Amino acid sequence: MSEIATDLPRPQAASVVTEGGLVRGLLVTVAIVFLALFLVLPLVTVFVQAFAKGWDAYLAAFREPDALSAIRLTLITAAIAVPFNLVFGIAASWAIAKFEFTGKNLLVTLIDLPFSVSPVVSGLIYVLVFGSQGLLGPWLIEHDIQIIFALPGIVLATIFVTFPFVARQLIPLMQEQGTAEEEAALTLGASGWHAFRTVTLPNIRWGLLYSVLLCNARAMGEFGAVSVVSGHIRGLTNTLPLHVEILYNEYNFVASFAVASLLAGLALVTLGLKSLLEWRYAGDLAASGRRH
Amino acid sequence: MPPPLRPRRRFRQPSVIPGFGLTLGYTLTCLGLIVLLPLAALVVRASGLGLSGIWEVATDPRVASALRVSFGVSALAALTASVFGFLVAWVLTRYEFPGRRIVDAVVDLPFALPTAVAGIALASLYAPNGLVGAQLAKLGIEAAYTPLGIFIAMVFIGLPFAVRTVQPLIVEIDREIEEASATLGAGRIQTLTRVVLPPLIPAVLTGFALAFARGVGEYGSIIFIAGNLPYVSEIAPLLIVIKLSEFDYGGACAIATIMLGISFVTLLVINLIQAWSRRRFGYV
């Protein structure tokens, strides 16, 4: 009996769990056309418009002092916000993944909260705390400290919108890895810090890099929240995305798309590195890594 | 005889790993200062207005119209994103075709591309003199500066959510169940609608809810293409910005509270779907 079964040809066996070739081709085509039209075309447009009047016009957009100061401000903001969230993410995932305690699920939900808040509302809440009519407003004015319409406000809003990135990537990863290796290191006489540096950190490095990449992309590209707290002061509190907006609203399209192409380039590099990490180190990024 | 030892309910299980106090303390401090306190400021401000105050703002014709546009168009866009998102997820996991890995990476583009960049790109594409806009104009369709433009931007921003929530579950489908269904005489369509699709419904609903919530709150990718005509194509987040620039903090807070309230309801619904799914299918 079994010999007959193994000798049977199996072409039909494969076709019962998939669609016919024609349907398959049609579905693939529809999906690709849809993605090309909705996602890729806008990206291509950025570069086409940026180079619409040639290289000189493109480069001229970056000779402007306002553009340079926007680049500087964006870099400074990311340079503060990303390390802050990196340290926070490691601390949070250490406490949450390595220990069992009451209220853990609530804590994870609260860390995720900024993802479900509209960017504009994220900016608004800082205006309510630090703005001139805000809770701390009178005290800040008295002591001549400016937070809203200045760098601190922009950094705070950026930290808020990127707050969950590192933590939510590392928590499932560290939970998956458990505590056995750290316990072994401690038993062998390592200090807690030493165990973290030599055991935990190498285990999570790819997940860490992955989350820092995404965190950085969002930090440099954030628009809504930063727009609310920045005040749009040219050359002072304009980040790159805000500079794009100002140029666009002045009908200076080439310059606007030229600056936008920098951000689009950053997005492309981020996507490329992200795919590379997913491809090479899929196992080290944890299953939930794909869901933001 | 000593009394029997009763396990004391404690805040944390004992562990030899150090650093609990330090890391949890730091986590709570950051969370409190960065997230919870500022959000509490909004709640305090809004409760100062009272329910009647919030209701008054919400029923202002311009605000009501902006809320209607935001929620209505976002629901339609999330529906569209769910349908095409499912198709894309299915194609990516089930079929082998050249460039599959690139197509997979492209899906995340709206996550990576700054919203303002997406916004100006969409606006210039769909403007009456733009590449796509000109073609649509020939058909008598105006996309930019109308609710249709808002819809396009919201589909753009919501699509990755729809794809990425369904995709891992399609990967996990047990092919043997499909074989069993086929062996028992079901046609391919019957197998799909009766065996394959039902367990995916919770994920599709979750993806819809995430895309919907994102669309409602979205600002940067919409304002350029929307045209921002009051009563026609003005979205709720923009109205918050306008109220703020007029120093109408109360009005801004009221709209923000309504939006926050609805996104919390959306999150709650997602959790309910997932709890239901866990009971019904044994996974999220």
Side-chain angles (χ1 to χ4, degrees):
Chain A
M1 277 295 280
S2 61
E3 285 159 36
I4 298 167
T6 45
D7 283 341
L8 276 174
R10 301 196 54 202
Q12 288 91 347
S15 67
V16 297
V17 289
T18 187
E19 289 70 47
L22 194 67
V23 177
R24 233 174 15 221
L26 189 71
L27 291 180
V28 171
T29 312
V30 171
I32 290 182
V33 168
F34 178 82
L35 290 178
L37 202 65
F38 266 79
L39 305 192
V40 180
L41 197 56
L43 181 71
V44 175
T45 303
V46 173
F47 291 100
V48 170
Q49 299 272 358
F51 290 105
K53 290 190 180 138
W55 263 101
D56 287 340
Y58 179 81
L59 289 177
F62 300 106
R63 279 196 212 102
E64 235 198 305
D66 288 347
L68 293 178
S69 80
I71 293 175
R72 202 176 312 122
L73 183 60
T74 293
L75 291 176
I76 292 172
T77 306
I80 303 172
V82 174
F84 179 92
N85 281 332
L86 178 69
V87 174
F88 166 76
I90 292 175
S93 51
W94 182 268
I96 289 167
K98 302 288 180 193
F99 301 93
E100 288 303 324
F101 58 93
T102 328
K104 197 157 142 172
N105 288 337
L106 177 67
L107 182 59
V108 174
T109 309
L110 288 177
I111 290 175
D112 262 354
L113 204 55
F115 272 163
S116 44
V117 174
S118 165
V120 171
V121 177
S122 313
L124 169 72
I125 57 176
Y126 286 102
V127 175
L128 293 178
V129 176
F130 300 110
S132 57
Q133 292 182 40
L135 292 179
L136 302 178
W139 187 87
L140 290 171
I141 291 170
E142 210 173 283
H143 292 79
D144 204 21
I145 304 172
Q146 182 137 32
I147 292 185
I148 298 303
F149 306 146
L151 179 67
I154 295 172
V155 171
L156 278 172
T158 306
I159 290 177
F160 181 92
V161 294
T162 53
F163 196 70
F165 270 96
V166 181
R168 90 177 327 204
Q169 177 72 34
L170 289 188
I171 290 168
L173 180 61
M174 279 165 74
Q175 272 172 338
E176 204 176 75
Q177 287 167 349
T179 54
E181 291 182 31
E182 283 83 2
E183 281 163 10
L186 293 167
T187 318
L188 295 171
S191 69
W193 172 243
H194 192 68
F196 169 75
R197 239 187 40 230
T198 54
V199 177
T200 313
L201 211 50
N203 276 342
I204 60 170
R205 64 186 162 188
W206 297 117
L208 204 59
L209 181 63
Y210 185 89
S211 60
V212 164
L213 265 173
L214 297 180
C215 181
N216 178 62
R218 180 71 195 265
M220 290 192 170
E222 178 52 29
F223 176 73
V226 171
S227 158
V228 171
V229 296
S230 122
H232 296 86
I233 308 164
R234 264 190 109 128
L236 275 181
T237 62
N238 255 356
T239 60
L240 274 179
L242 298 179
H243 194 58
V244 168
E245 182 200 18
I246 286 193
L247 292 171
Y248 188 86
N249 287 341
E250 287 171 350
Y251 302 101
N252 194 348
F253 294 130
V254 169
S256 171
F257 278 101
V259 177
S261 74
L262 270 193
L263 289 166
L266 170 75
L268 282 178
V269 171
T270 305
L271 272 189
L273 289 174
K274 174 175 174 294
S275 304
L276 189 72
L277 283 175
E278 277 167 4
W279 177 48
R280 286 281 307 271
Y281 305 104
D284 298 329
L285 297 174
S288 53
R290 297 191 60 100
R291 298 172 60 174
H292 332 211
Chain B
M1 203 173 108
L5 284 170
R6 256 193 314 149
R8 197 162 54 92
R9 199 181 142 67
R10 37 168 104 220
F11 167 61
R12 133 174 117 92
Q13 305 293 313
S15 160
V16 296
I17 308 273
F20 179 72
L22 178 72
T23 53
L24 187 71
Y26 184 73
T27 304
L28 292 177
T29 310
C30 290
L31 183 70
L33 290 178
I34 302 280
V35 178
L36 299 182
L37 268 178
L39 278 174
L42 176 65
V43 175
V44 168
R45 229 353 137 109
S47 61
L49 295 169
L51 270 182
S52 59
I54 294 177
W55 181 249
E56 204 175 298
V57 174
T59 48
D60 171 79
R62 189 169 168 191
V63 177
S65 143
L67 287 170
R68 218 168 22 243
V69 169
S70 275
F71 286 102
V73 178
S74 183
L76 283 178
L79 192 67
T80 312
S82 297
V83 172
F84 282 96
F86 185 87
L87 174 69
V88 171
W90 181 265
V91 163
L92 281 175
T93 43
R94 281 303 180 94
Y95 307 148
E96 200 52 62
F97 56 92
R100 200 174 60 123
R101 205 183 285 282
I102 294 173
V103 175
D104 189 54
V106 162
V107 171
D108 279 333
L109 195 63
F111 281 147
L113 199 64
T115 54
V117 177
I120 61 167
L122 289 171
S124 83
L125 265 181
Y126 289 91
N129 58 353
L131 198 60
V132 182
Q135 300 306 314
L136 290 176
K138 279 183 201 156
L139 302 170
I141 303 170
E142 276 179 80
Y145 321 128
T146 67
L148 180 60
I150 302 176
F151 170 81
I152 291 166
M154 282 179 174
V155 171
F156 175 87
I157 214 73
L159 190 73
F161 292 95
V163 178
R164 297 301 186 215
T165 41
V166 186
Q167 200 176 10
L169 286 181
I170 299 183
V171 174
E172 277 168 25
I173 295 176
D174 196 346
R175 295 301 268 270
E176 282 175 16
I177 299 174
E178 283 173 71
E179 281 172 18
S181 162
T183 320
L184 292 171
R188 185 62 190 157
I189 303 269
Q190 211 176 357
T191 302
L192 283 177
T193 52
R194 306 287 287 274
V195 177
V196 177
L197 292 184
L200 296 175
I201 289 173
V204 173
L205 289 176
T206 306
F208 171 85
L210 288 173
F212 172 72
R214 179 68 202 262
V216 168
E218 181 54 29
Y219 176 69
S221 56
I222 298 177
I223 52 164
F224 297 99
I225 196 175
N228 309 325
L229 280 169
Y231 303 103
V232 179
S233 60
E234 194 172 56
I235 53 168
L238 177 70
L239 212 48
I240 294 181
V241 173
I242 293 175
K243 296 258 180 214
L244 264 183
S245 66
E246 292 165 350
F247 296 102
D248 178 7
Y249 282 27
C253 284
I255 303 173
T257 310
I258 295 166
M259 287 177 53
L260 268 187
I262 293 175
S263 38
F264 282 137
V265 171
T266 316
L267 275 188
L268 191 70
V269 170
I270 294 176
N271 281 327
L272 288 177
I273 293 170
Q274 290 181 341
W276 169 71
S277 159
R278 218 172 284 131
R279 273 201 313 276
R280 173 77 174 70
F281 301 107
Y283 56 82
V284 182

